[in-house]
Tab-separated table of all heavy atoms in Angstrom:
chain	number	residue	atom	x	y	z
E	1	ARG	N	-2.977	-12.939	-9.583
E	1	ARG	CA	-3.327	-12.806	-10.953
E	1	ARG	C	-4.206	-11.629	-11.174
E	1	ARG	O	-5.341	-11.734	-11.533
E	1	ARG	CB	-3.987	-14.045	-11.407
E	1	ARG	CG	-3.035	-15.254	-11.573
E	1	ARG	CD	-3.736	-16.415	-12.099
E	1	ARG	NE	-3.086	-17.679	-11.967
E	1	ARG	CZ	-2.544	-18.244	-10.859
E	1	ARG	NH1	-2.592	-17.645	-9.746
E	1	ARG	NH2	-1.986	-19.380	-10.899
E	2	ALA	N	-3.626	-10.510	-10.937
E	2	ALA	CA	-4.355	-9.206	-11.216
E	2	ALA	C	-5.608	-9.050	-10.448
E	2	ALA	O	-6.571	-8.530	-10.955
E	2	ALA	CB	-4.535	-9.038	-12.729
E	3	TYR	N	-5.584	-9.499	-9.172
E	3	TYR	CA	-6.714	-9.280	-8.331
E	3	TYR	C	-8.048	-9.825	-8.859
E	3	TYR	O	-9.064	-9.167	-8.845
E	3	TYR	CB	-6.887	-7.778	-7.954
E	3	TYR	CG	-5.656	-7.255	-7.238
E	3	TYR	CD1	-4.831	-6.387	-7.898
E	3	TYR	CD2	-5.410	-7.603	-5.926
E	3	TYR	CE1	-3.711	-5.923	-7.272
E	3	TYR	CE2	-4.277	-7.100	-5.283
E	3	TYR	CZ	-3.411	-6.266	-5.945
E	3	TYR	OH	-2.324	-5.808	-5.311
E	4	GLY	N	-7.957	-11.025	-9.453
E	4	GLY	CA	-9.132	-11.641	-9.946
E	4	GLY	C	-9.452	-11.275	-11.440
E	4	GLY	O	-10.406	-11.822	-11.930
E	5	ASN	N	-8.716	-10.400	-12.003
E	5	ASN	CA	-8.978	-10.031	-13.367
E	5	ASN	C	-8.031	-10.884	-14.274
E	5	ASN	O	-6.855	-10.711	-14.281
E	5	ASN	CB	-8.638	-8.537	-13.628
E	5	ASN	CG	-8.871	-8.072	-15.026
E	5	ASN	OD1	-9.327	-8.819	-15.895
E	5	ASN	ND2	-8.513	-6.802	-15.286
E	6	SER	N	-8.612	-11.783	-15.049
E	6	SER	CA	-7.792	-12.651	-15.878
E	6	SER	C	-7.217	-11.986	-17.125
E	6	SER	O	-6.454	-12.575	-17.850
E	6	SER	CB	-8.598	-13.887	-16.340
E	6	SER	OG	-9.672	-13.484	-17.149
E	7	ASP	N	-7.592	-10.694	-17.366
E	7	ASP	CA	-7.084	-10.022	-18.509
E	7	ASP	C	-6.194	-8.796	-18.220
E	7	ASP	O	-5.961	-7.968	-19.054
E	7	ASP	CB	-8.294	-9.522	-19.378
E	7	ASP	CG	-7.868	-9.227	-20.789
E	7	ASP	OD1	-6.957	-9.908	-21.330
E	7	ASP	OD2	-8.405	-8.255	-21.355
E	8	GLY	N	-5.604	-8.765	-17.031
E	8	GLY	CA	-4.705	-7.647	-16.651
E	8	GLY	C	-3.388	-7.901	-17.329
E	8	GLY	O	-2.925	-8.966	-17.403
E	9	PHE	N	-2.813	-6.827	-17.855
E	9	PHE	CA	-1.502	-7.010	-18.555
E	9	PHE	C	-0.641	-5.725	-18.308
E	9	PHE	O	-1.014	-4.642	-18.750
E	9	PHE	CB	-1.690	-7.223	-20.014
E	9	PHE	CG	-0.396	-7.533	-20.734
E	9	PHE	CD1	0.195	-8.770	-20.579
E	9	PHE	CD2	0.182	-6.590	-21.566
E	9	PHE	CE1	1.404	-9.035	-21.250
E	9	PHE	CE2	1.337	-6.869	-22.243
E	9	PHE	CZ	1.967	-8.102	-22.072
E	10	PRO	N	0.567	-5.887	-17.654
E	10	PRO	CA	1.370	-4.694	-17.392
E	10	PRO	C	2.301	-4.390	-18.555
E	10	PRO	O	3.463	-4.543	-18.581
E	10	PRO	CB	2.196	-5.150	-16.193
E	10	PRO	CG	2.350	-6.655	-16.379
E	10	PRO	CD	1.033	-7.054	-17.040
E	11	HIS	N	1.718	-3.843	-19.636
E	11	HIS	CA	2.471	-3.609	-20.878
E	11	HIS	C	3.571	-2.554	-20.745
E	11	HIS	O	4.473	-2.514	-21.516
E	11	HIS	CB	1.550	-3.198	-22.052
E	11	HIS	CG	0.708	-1.981	-21.727
E	11	HIS	ND1	1.146	-0.733	-21.978
E	11	HIS	CD2	-0.539	-1.858	-21.201
E	11	HIS	CE1	0.225	0.164	-21.633
E	11	HIS	NE2	-0.845	-0.556	-21.164
E	12	GLY	N	3.541	-1.811	-19.674
E	12	GLY	CA	4.558	-0.775	-19.458
E	12	GLY	C	5.747	-1.361	-18.629
E	12	GLY	O	6.735	-0.620	-18.429
E	13	ASP	N	5.678	-2.593	-18.209
E	13	ASP	CA	6.730	-3.137	-17.387
E	13	ASP	C	7.955	-3.502	-18.247
E	13	ASP	O	7.804	-4.223	-19.289
E	13	ASP	CB	6.176	-4.434	-16.724
E	13	ASP	CG	7.231	-5.016	-15.718
E	13	ASP	OD1	8.124	-5.720	-16.143
E	13	ASP	OD2	7.050	-4.668	-14.500
E	14	LEU	N	9.115	-3.009	-17.884
E	14	LEU	CA	10.314	-3.257	-18.758
E	14	LEU	C	10.690	-4.719	-18.812
E	14	LEU	O	11.148	-5.203	-19.894
E	14	LEU	CB	11.476	-2.461	-18.211
E	14	LEU	CG	12.725	-2.472	-19.031
E	14	LEU	CD1	12.515	-1.998	-20.474
E	14	LEU	CD2	13.850	-1.609	-18.381
E	15	ALA	N	10.532	-5.491	-17.763
E	15	ALA	CA	10.869	-6.899	-17.798
E	15	ALA	C	9.932	-7.641	-18.792
E	15	ALA	O	10.420	-8.500	-19.569
E	15	ALA	CB	10.723	-7.533	-16.440
E	16	ILE	N	8.693	-7.282	-18.773
E	16	ILE	CA	7.735	-7.885	-19.798
E	16	ILE	C	8.137	-7.490	-21.203
E	16	ILE	O	8.147	-8.290	-22.138
E	16	ILE	CB	6.300	-7.416	-19.492
E	16	ILE	CG1	5.795	-8.098	-18.236
E	16	ILE	CG2	5.372	-7.733	-20.658
E	16	ILE	CD1	5.504	-9.553	-18.353
E	17	GLN	N	8.491	-6.229	-21.448
E	17	GLN	CA	8.909	-5.743	-22.767
E	17	GLN	C	10.136	-6.473	-23.245
E	17	GLN	O	10.194	-6.877	-24.412
E	17	GLN	CB	9.124	-4.262	-22.735
E	17	GLN	CG	7.888	-3.482	-22.488
E	17	GLN	CD	8.127	-1.993	-22.265
E	17	GLN	OE1	9.246	-1.542	-22.263
E	17	GLN	NE2	7.067	-1.280	-21.996
E	18	LYS	N	11.129	-6.686	-22.365
E	18	LYS	CA	12.358	-7.402	-22.755
E	18	LYS	C	12.093	-8.826	-23.034
E	18	LYS	O	12.615	-9.381	-24.045
E	18	LYS	CB	13.379	-7.234	-21.656
E	18	LYS	CG	14.045	-5.874	-21.530
E	18	LYS	CD	15.083	-5.863	-20.422
E	18	LYS	CE	15.781	-4.545	-20.312
E	18	LYS	NZ	16.779	-4.533	-19.212
E	19	THR	N	11.302	-9.466	-22.165
E	19	THR	CA	11.018	-10.887	-22.349
E	19	THR	C	10.236	-11.100	-23.651
E	19	THR	O	10.509	-12.041	-24.430
E	19	THR	CB	10.230	-11.451	-21.179
E	19	THR	OG1	10.965	-11.215	-20.014
E	19	THR	CG2	9.923	-12.923	-21.366
E	20	MET	N	9.280	-10.295	-23.937
E	20	MET	CA	8.475	-10.433	-25.141
E	20	MET	C	9.375	-10.187	-26.417
E	20	MET	O	9.231	-10.831	-27.412
E	20	MET	CB	7.284	-9.462	-25.136
E	20	MET	CG	6.196	-9.924	-24.170
E	20	MET	SD	4.788	-8.797	-24.152
E	20	MET	CE	4.080	-9.154	-25.751
E	21	GLY	N	10.286	-9.215	-26.318
E	21	GLY	CA	11.192	-8.954	-27.401
E	21	GLY	C	12.048	-10.195	-27.717
E	21	GLY	O	12.272	-10.513	-28.892
E	22	LYS	N	12.531	-10.858	-26.707
E	22	LYS	CA	13.338	-12.083	-26.912
E	22	LYS	C	12.529	-13.161	-27.500
E	22	LYS	O	12.975	-13.936	-28.392
E	22	LYS	CB	13.937	-12.505	-25.559
E	22	LYS	CG	15.102	-11.626	-25.039
E	22	LYS	CD	15.579	-12.149	-23.761
E	22	LYS	CE	16.696	-11.262	-23.223
E	22	LYS	NZ	17.227	-11.759	-21.980
E	23	LEU	N	11.305	-13.358	-26.999
E	23	LEU	CA	10.471	-14.406	-27.465
E	23	LEU	C	9.985	-14.212	-28.949
E	23	LEU	O	9.975	-15.118	-29.738
E	23	LEU	CB	9.187	-14.556	-26.614
E	23	LEU	CG	9.459	-15.241	-25.263
E	23	LEU	CD1	8.185	-15.159	-24.377
E	23	LEU	CD2	9.819	-16.695	-25.461
E	24	ILE	N	9.692	-13.027	-29.262
E	24	ILE	CA	9.160	-12.723	-30.560
E	24	ILE	C	10.161	-12.507	-31.628
E	24	ILE	O	10.066	-13.013	-32.772
E	24	ILE	CB	8.217	-11.477	-30.479
E	24	ILE	CG1	7.052	-11.742	-29.549
E	24	ILE	CG2	7.742	-10.988	-31.846
E	24	ILE	CD1	6.249	-10.534	-29.130
E	25	ASN	N	11.255	-11.794	-31.295
E	25	ASN	CA	12.229	-11.389	-32.292
E	25	ASN	C	13.560	-12.101	-32.178
E	25	ASN	O	14.491	-11.818	-32.934
E	25	ASN	CB	12.476	-9.903	-32.254
E	25	ASN	CG	11.198	-9.131	-32.537
E	25	ASN	OD1	10.432	-9.482	-33.360
E	25	ASN	ND2	10.971	-8.048	-31.773
E	26	GLY	N	13.733	-12.986	-31.236
E	26	GLY	CA	14.995	-13.694	-31.012
E	26	GLY	C	15.751	-13.218	-29.765
E	26	GLY	O	15.482	-12.143	-29.301
E	27	LYS	N	16.606	-14.025	-29.311
E	27	LYS	CA	17.314	-13.814	-28.032
E	27	LYS	C	18.144	-12.577	-28.014
E	27	LYS	O	18.388	-11.973	-26.932
E	27	LYS	CB	18.149	-15.027	-27.645
E	27	LYS	CG	17.274	-16.179	-27.278
E	27	LYS	CD	18.108	-17.336	-26.700
E	27	LYS	CE	17.145	-18.452	-26.316
E	27	LYS	NZ	17.934	-19.576	-25.736
E	28	ASP	N	18.716	-12.144	-29.113
E	28	ASP	CA	19.572	-10.966	-29.132
E	28	ASP	C	18.859	-9.691	-29.551
E	28	ASP	O	19.488	-8.711	-29.815
E	28	ASP	CB	20.740	-11.245	-30.098
E	28	ASP	CG	21.625	-12.365	-29.671
E	28	ASP	OD1	21.755	-12.533	-28.445
E	28	ASP	OD2	22.180	-13.120	-30.502
E	29	SER	N	17.555	-9.682	-29.551
E	29	SER	CA	16.802	-8.527	-29.981
E	29	SER	C	16.568	-7.511	-28.855
E	29	SER	O	16.659	-7.864	-27.649
E	29	SER	CB	15.520	-8.941	-30.620
E	29	SER	OG	14.699	-9.570	-29.679
E	30	ALA	N	16.121	-6.380	-29.208
E	30	ALA	CA	15.773	-5.315	-28.234
E	30	ALA	C	14.379	-5.499	-27.662
E	30	ALA	O	13.548	-6.286	-28.156
E	30	ALA	CB	15.811	-3.945	-28.935
E	31	ALA	N	14.115	-4.822	-26.567
E	31	ALA	CA	12.817	-4.842	-25.917
E	31	ALA	C	11.764	-4.284	-26.794
E	31	ALA	O	12.035	-3.387	-27.637
E	31	ALA	CB	12.861	-4.145	-24.584
E	32	LEU	N	10.533	-4.721	-26.684
E	32	LEU	CA	9.387	-4.144	-27.386
E	32	LEU	C	9.076	-2.782	-26.710
E	32	LEU	O	9.348	-2.632	-25.491
E	32	LEU	CB	8.196	-5.037	-27.284
E	32	LEU	CG	8.267	-6.381	-28.000
E	32	LEU	CD1	6.896	-7.087	-27.860
E	32	LEU	CD2	8.658	-6.294	-29.450
E	33	SER	N	8.469	-1.929	-27.410
E	33	SER	CA	7.895	-0.659	-26.801
E	33	SER	C	6.636	-1.076	-26.010
E	33	SER	O	6.096	-2.149	-26.215
E	33	SER	CB	7.622	0.339	-27.859
E	33	SER	OG	6.476	-0.052	-28.595
E	34	SER	N	6.253	-0.179	-25.206
E	34	SER	CA	4.956	-0.400	-24.434
E	34	SER	C	3.796	-0.642	-25.391
E	34	SER	O	2.980	-1.537	-25.182
E	34	SER	CB	4.685	0.773	-23.520
E	34	SER	OG	3.477	0.629	-22.822
E	35	TYR	N	3.748	0.131	-26.437
E	35	TYR	CA	2.679	0.047	-27.433
E	35	TYR	C	2.754	-1.315	-28.147
E	35	TYR	O	1.703	-1.975	-28.312
E	35	TYR	CB	2.770	1.167	-28.441
E	35	TYR	CG	1.811	1.016	-29.553
E	35	TYR	CD1	0.426	1.312	-29.406
E	35	TYR	CD2	2.213	0.555	-30.846
E	35	TYR	CE1	-0.466	1.120	-30.388
E	35	TYR	CE2	1.289	0.442	-31.852
E	35	TYR	CZ	-0.011	0.709	-31.626
E	35	TYR	OH	-0.935	0.540	-32.694
E	36	GLU	N	3.955	-1.768	-28.503
E	36	GLU	CA	4.116	-3.058	-29.255
E	36	GLU	C	3.732	-4.199	-28.303
E	36	GLU	O	3.043	-5.196	-28.742
E	36	GLU	CB	5.539	-3.218	-29.686
E	36	GLU	CG	5.945	-2.302	-30.829
E	36	GLU	CD	7.437	-2.345	-31.080
E	36	GLU	OE1	8.250	-2.546	-30.130
E	36	GLU	OE2	7.808	-2.116	-32.265
E	37	ALA	N	4.089	-4.127	-27.064
E	37	ALA	CA	3.718	-5.180	-26.123
E	37	ALA	C	2.223	-5.271	-25.947
E	37	ALA	O	1.629	-6.391	-25.946
E	37	ALA	CB	4.427	-4.906	-24.771
E	38	LYS	N	1.582	-4.141	-25.819
E	38	LYS	CA	0.129	-4.128	-25.648
E	38	LYS	C	-0.565	-4.670	-26.937
E	38	LYS	O	-1.497	-5.460	-26.829
E	38	LYS	CB	-0.366	-2.737	-25.366
E	38	LYS	CG	-1.850	-2.682	-25.090
E	38	LYS	CD	-2.277	-1.261	-24.708
E	38	LYS	CE	-3.731	-1.218	-24.387
E	38	LYS	NZ	-4.232	0.078	-24.078
E	39	LEU	N	-0.054	-4.222	-28.077
E	39	LEU	CA	-0.626	-4.662	-29.311
E	39	LEU	C	-0.511	-6.133	-29.521
E	39	LEU	O	-1.485	-6.865	-29.886
E	39	LEU	CB	0.029	-3.931	-30.499
E	39	LEU	CG	-0.565	-4.068	-31.890
E	39	LEU	CD1	-1.984	-3.524	-31.916
E	39	LEU	CD2	0.275	-3.368	-32.889
E	40	PHE	N	0.669	-6.721	-29.244
E	40	PHE	CA	0.884	-8.147	-29.373
E	40	PHE	C	0.078	-8.953	-28.378
E	40	PHE	O	-0.423	-10.025	-28.703
E	40	PHE	CB	2.396	-8.468	-29.227
E	40	PHE	CG	2.746	-9.845	-29.576
E	40	PHE	CD1	3.040	-10.214	-30.898
E	40	PHE	CD2	2.740	-10.867	-28.603
E	40	PHE	CE1	3.346	-11.515	-31.242
E	40	PHE	CE2	3.015	-12.186	-28.934
E	40	PHE	CZ	3.383	-12.493	-30.244
E	41	SER	N	-0.082	-8.410	-27.198
E	41	SER	CA	-0.807	-9.162	-26.155
E	41	SER	C	-2.322	-9.295	-26.427
E	41	SER	O	-2.979	-10.114	-25.825
E	41	SER	CB	-0.646	-8.457	-24.818
E	41	SER	OG	-1.369	-7.249	-24.688
E	42	GLU	N	-2.803	-8.521	-27.380
E	42	GLU	CA	-4.273	-8.591	-27.679
E	42	GLU	C	-4.668	-9.990	-28.088
E	42	GLU	O	-5.798	-10.414	-27.860
E	42	GLU	CB	-4.638	-7.627	-28.759
E	42	GLU	CG	-4.531	-6.135	-28.342
E	42	GLU	CD	-5.544	-5.764	-27.300
E	42	GLU	OE1	-6.697	-6.291	-27.327
E	42	GLU	OE2	-5.203	-5.006	-26.361
E	43	ARG	N	-3.760	-10.766	-28.679
E	43	ARG	CA	-4.120	-12.113	-29.123
E	43	ARG	C	-4.273	-13.063	-27.912
E	43	ARG	O	-4.735	-14.178	-28.114
E	43	ARG	CB	-3.014	-12.615	-30.082
E	43	ARG	CG	-1.678	-12.771	-29.442
E	43	ARG	CD	-0.583	-13.136	-30.391
E	43	ARG	NE	-0.347	-11.951	-31.239
E	43	ARG	CZ	0.237	-11.981	-32.416
E	43	ARG	NH1	0.641	-13.129	-32.929
E	43	ARG	NH2	0.439	-10.899	-33.123
E	44	TRP	N	-3.867	-12.640	-26.727
E	44	TRP	CA	-3.991	-13.496	-25.531
E	44	TRP	C	-5.242	-13.215	-24.763
E	44	TRP	O	-5.479	-13.834	-23.708
E	44	TRP	CB	-2.783	-13.345	-24.631
E	44	TRP	CG	-1.501	-13.725	-25.258
E	44	TRP	CD1	-1.284	-14.733	-26.159
E	44	TRP	CD2	-0.202	-13.138	-24.977
E	44	TRP	NE1	0.029	-14.728	-26.504
E	44	TRP	CE2	0.703	-13.826	-25.781
E	44	TRP	CE3	0.244	-12.096	-24.174
E	44	TRP	CZ2	2.068	-13.478	-25.802
E	44	TRP	CZ3	1.537	-11.806	-24.153
E	44	TRP	CH2	2.466	-12.521	-24.981
E	45	ARG	N	-6.070	-12.250	-25.180
E	45	ARG	CA	-7.317	-11.917	-24.511
E	45	ARG	C	-8.191	-13.119	-24.403
E	45	ARG	O	-8.247	-13.864	-25.375
E	45	ARG	CB	-8.049	-10.827	-25.280
E	45	ARG	CG	-7.668	-9.462	-24.924
E	45	ARG	CD	-8.525	-8.462	-25.590
E	45	ARG	NE	-8.142	-7.118	-25.272
E	45	ARG	CZ	-8.532	-6.472	-24.210
E	45	ARG	NH1	-9.402	-7.041	-23.371
E	45	ARG	NH2	-8.087	-5.303	-23.947
E	46	PRO	N	-8.895	-13.348	-23.402
E	46	PRO	CA	-9.004	-12.655	-22.138
E	46	PRO	C	-8.146	-13.255	-21.020
E	46	PRO	O	-8.508	-13.183	-19.847
E	46	PRO	CB	-10.499	-12.861	-21.789
E	46	PRO	CG	-10.824	-14.200	-22.291
E	46	PRO	CD	-9.957	-14.361	-23.488
E	47	TYR	N	-7.001	-13.842	-21.391
E	47	TYR	CA	-6.150	-14.528	-20.396
E	47	TYR	C	-4.752	-13.941	-20.308
E	47	TYR	O	-3.796	-14.628	-20.097
E	47	TYR	CB	-6.061	-15.983	-20.763
E	47	TYR	CG	-7.426	-16.679	-20.829
E	47	TYR	CD1	-7.947	-17.006	-22.060
E	47	TYR	CD2	-8.156	-16.902	-19.680
E	47	TYR	CE1	-9.185	-17.595	-22.130
E	47	TYR	CE2	-9.399	-17.475	-19.742
E	47	TYR	CZ	-9.923	-17.819	-20.995
E	47	TYR	OH	-11.152	-18.365	-21.040
E	48	ARG	N	-4.634	-12.597	-20.467
E	48	ARG	CA	-3.332	-11.993	-20.445
E	48	ARG	C	-2.664	-12.079	-19.079
E	48	ARG	O	-1.404	-12.079	-19.054
E	48	ARG	CB	-3.384	-10.554	-20.896
E	48	ARG	CG	-3.759	-10.501	-22.422
E	48	ARG	CD	-3.781	-9.109	-22.975
E	48	ARG	NE	-4.839	-8.300	-22.356
E	48	ARG	CZ	-5.026	-6.992	-22.644
E	48	ARG	NH1	-4.239	-6.414	-23.513
E	48	ARG	NH2	-6.012	-6.368	-22.080
E	49	SER	N	-3.381	-12.137	-18.005
E	49	SER	CA	-2.765	-12.283	-16.672
E	49	SER	C	-1.985	-13.582	-16.592
E	49	SER	O	-0.880	-13.638	-15.996
E	49	SER	CB	-3.869	-12.272	-15.568
E	49	SER	OG	-4.390	-10.986	-15.452
E	50	TYR	N	-2.521	-14.609	-17.156
E	50	TYR	CA	-1.885	-15.910	-17.182
E	50	TYR	C	-0.590	-15.878	-18.031
E	50	TYR	O	0.411	-16.438	-17.674
E	50	TYR	CB	-2.810	-17.026	-17.633
E	50	TYR	CG	-4.033	-17.156	-16.703
E	50	TYR	CD1	-5.228	-16.596	-17.027
E	50	TYR	CD2	-3.880	-17.780	-15.447
E	50	TYR	CE1	-6.289	-16.694	-16.173
E	50	TYR	CE2	-4.948	-17.849	-14.585
E	50	TYR	CZ	-6.144	-17.332	-14.925
E	50	TYR	OH	-7.190	-17.426	-14.037
E	51	ALA	N	-0.689	-15.222	-19.171
E	51	ALA	CA	0.443	-15.059	-20.044
E	51	ALA	C	1.578	-14.331	-19.331
E	51	ALA	O	2.790	-14.610	-19.402
E	51	ALA	CB	0.069	-14.381	-21.333
E	52	THR	N	1.180	-13.279	-18.553
E	52	THR	CA	2.121	-12.508	-17.789
E	52	THR	C	2.867	-13.343	-16.776
E	52	THR	O	4.101	-13.273	-16.642
E	52	THR	CB	1.403	-11.333	-17.074
E	52	THR	OG1	0.801	-10.472	-18.034
E	52	THR	CG2	2.384	-10.527	-16.234
E	53	MET	N	2.106	-14.243	-16.134
E	53	MET	CA	2.712	-15.114	-15.159
E	53	MET	C	3.794	-15.992	-15.812
E	53	MET	O	4.875	-16.173	-15.283
E	53	MET	CB	1.584	-15.999	-14.495
E	53	MET	CG	2.145	-16.976	-13.463
E	53	MET	SD	0.813	-17.938	-12.739
E	53	MET	CE	0.168	-18.836	-14.184
E	54	TYR	N	3.513	-16.544	-16.951
E	54	TYR	CA	4.425	-17.377	-17.728
E	54	TYR	C	5.662	-16.578	-18.184
E	54	TYR	O	6.779	-17.064	-18.232
E	54	TYR	CB	3.768	-18.150	-18.826
E	54	TYR	CG	2.946	-19.288	-18.333
E	54	TYR	CD1	1.568	-19.222	-18.372
E	54	TYR	CD2	3.555	-20.402	-17.850
E	54	TYR	CE1	0.774	-20.254	-17.945
E	54	TYR	CE2	2.762	-21.504	-17.326
E	54	TYR	CZ	1.404	-21.377	-17.396
E	54	TYR	OH	0.637	-22.450	-16.951
E	55	LEU	N	5.410	-15.347	-18.630
E	55	LEU	CA	6.518	-14.527	-19.104
E	55	LEU	C	7.496	-14.182	-17.947
E	55	LEU	O	8.710	-14.312	-18.139
E	55	LEU	CB	6.004	-13.233	-19.727
E	55	LEU	CG	5.293	-13.320	-21.063
E	55	LEU	CD1	4.617	-12.013	-21.418
E	55	LEU	CD2	6.274	-13.736	-22.111
E	56	PHE	N	6.951	-13.792	-16.769
E	56	PHE	CA	7.814	-13.570	-15.627
E	56	PHE	C	8.554	-14.821	-15.220
E	56	PHE	O	9.717	-14.781	-14.884
E	56	PHE	CB	7.019	-13.007	-14.461
E	56	PHE	CG	6.777	-11.503	-14.536
E	56	PHE	CD1	5.512	-11.023	-14.407
E	56	PHE	CD2	7.824	-10.655	-14.690
E	56	PHE	CE1	5.306	-9.658	-14.474
E	56	PHE	CE2	7.587	-9.287	-14.723
E	56	PHE	CZ	6.318	-8.785	-14.649
E	57	GLY	N	7.870	-15.990	-15.232
E	57	GLY	CA	8.452	-17.267	-14.839
E	57	GLY	C	9.623	-17.599	-15.737
E	57	GLY	O	10.713	-18.029	-15.303
E	58	ALA	N	9.416	-17.467	-17.018
E	58	ALA	CA	10.501	-17.792	-18.005
E	58	ALA	C	11.707	-16.869	-17.805
E	58	ALA	O	12.862	-17.332	-17.843
E	58	ALA	CB	9.957	-17.646	-19.433
E	59	SER	N	11.402	-15.622	-17.499
E	59	SER	CA	12.506	-14.658	-17.287
E	59	SER	C	13.241	-15.015	-15.974
E	59	SER	O	14.517	-15.004	-16.011
E	59	SER	CB	11.922	-13.241	-17.197
E	59	SER	OG	12.911	-12.304	-16.960
E	60	ARG	N	12.543	-15.306	-14.921
E	60	ARG	CA	13.225	-15.582	-13.687
E	60	ARG	C	14.011	-16.882	-13.665
E	60	ARG	O	15.069	-16.995	-13.001
E	60	ARG	CB	12.172	-15.621	-12.557
E	60	ARG	CG	11.639	-14.320	-12.157
E	60	ARG	CD	10.700	-14.457	-11.005
E	60	ARG	NE	10.113	-13.139	-10.773
E	60	ARG	CZ	8.833	-12.894	-10.465
E	60	ARG	NH1	8.040	-13.971	-10.394
E	60	ARG	NH2	8.343	-11.721	-10.295
E	61	LEU	N	13.566	-17.854	-14.463
E	61	LEU	CA	14.276	-19.158	-14.533
E	61	LEU	C	15.430	-19.081	-15.506
E	61	LEU	O	16.160	-20.064	-15.687
E	61	LEU	CB	13.307	-20.254	-14.929
E	61	LEU	CG	12.236	-20.590	-13.849
E	61	LEU	CD1	11.260	-21.587	-14.420
E	61	LEU	CD2	12.903	-21.163	-12.655
E	62	GLY	N	15.576	-18.011	-16.211
E	62	GLY	CA	16.661	-17.848	-17.208
E	62	GLY	C	16.470	-18.661	-18.463
E	62	GLY	O	17.459	-19.010	-19.132
E	63	LEU	N	15.247	-18.951	-18.793
E	63	LEU	CA	14.990	-19.747	-20.027
E	63	LEU	C	15.203	-18.991	-21.265
E	63	LEU	O	15.207	-19.579	-22.355
E	63	LEU	CB	13.499	-20.244	-19.957
E	63	LEU	CG	13.181	-21.120	-18.767
E	63	LEU	CD1	11.715	-21.484	-18.737
E	63	LEU	CD2	14.055	-22.410	-18.803
E	64	LEU	N	15.391	-17.685	-21.235
E	64	LEU	CA	15.519	-16.892	-22.404
E	64	LEU	C	16.952	-16.262	-22.528
E	64	LEU	O	17.198	-15.417	-23.339
E	64	LEU	CB	14.519	-15.750	-22.433
E	64	LEU	CG	13.088	-16.212	-22.348
E	64	LEU	CD1	12.158	-15.076	-22.198
E	64	LEU	CD2	12.756	-17.006	-23.668
E	65	SER	N	17.849	-16.706	-21.682
E	65	SER	CA	19.240	-16.159	-21.660
E	65	SER	C	20.067	-16.724	-22.770
E	65	SER	O	19.917	-17.802	-23.235
E	65	SER	CB	19.923	-16.429	-20.346
E	65	SER	OG	19.184	-15.846	-19.320
């Protein structure tokens, strides 16, 4: 979890951008830009590392396909 930092967020990661695009705008939508992902993630402060873990988990399990 970001080496003990509960607020780390990899907004430049393409998998995160795609997953967030699907969650926010619907399953057939495009990926968010790095800026949009960072801007949207501000609402998860100071727990963005935990949100990242759930986003990666949902993507790996195919919950957004």
Side-chain angles (χ1 to χ4, degrees):
R1 290 182 195 53
Y3 301 106
N5 179 4
S6 64
D7 198 37
F9 186 73
H11 58 87
D13 187 277
L14 184 57
I16 289 289
Q17 293 170 1
K18 286 181 178 181
T19 302
M20 288 180 73
K22 287 179 181 180
L23 284 172
I24 297 165
N25 299 321
K27 290 186 179 183
D28 295 327
S29 64
L32 297 182
S33 69
S34 177
Y35 174 75
E36 291 170 329
K38 184 176 181 182
L39 188 65
F40 190 87
S41 74
E42 291 296 322
R43 64 188 71 200
W44 299 327
R45 273 187 181 274
Y47 303 106
R48 292 185 295 179
S49 291
Y50 298 102
T52 300
M53 179 179 63
Y54 284 109
L55 289 170
F56 277 129
S59 178
R60 287 185 186 138
L61 292 174
L63 298 176
L64 302 171
S65 300

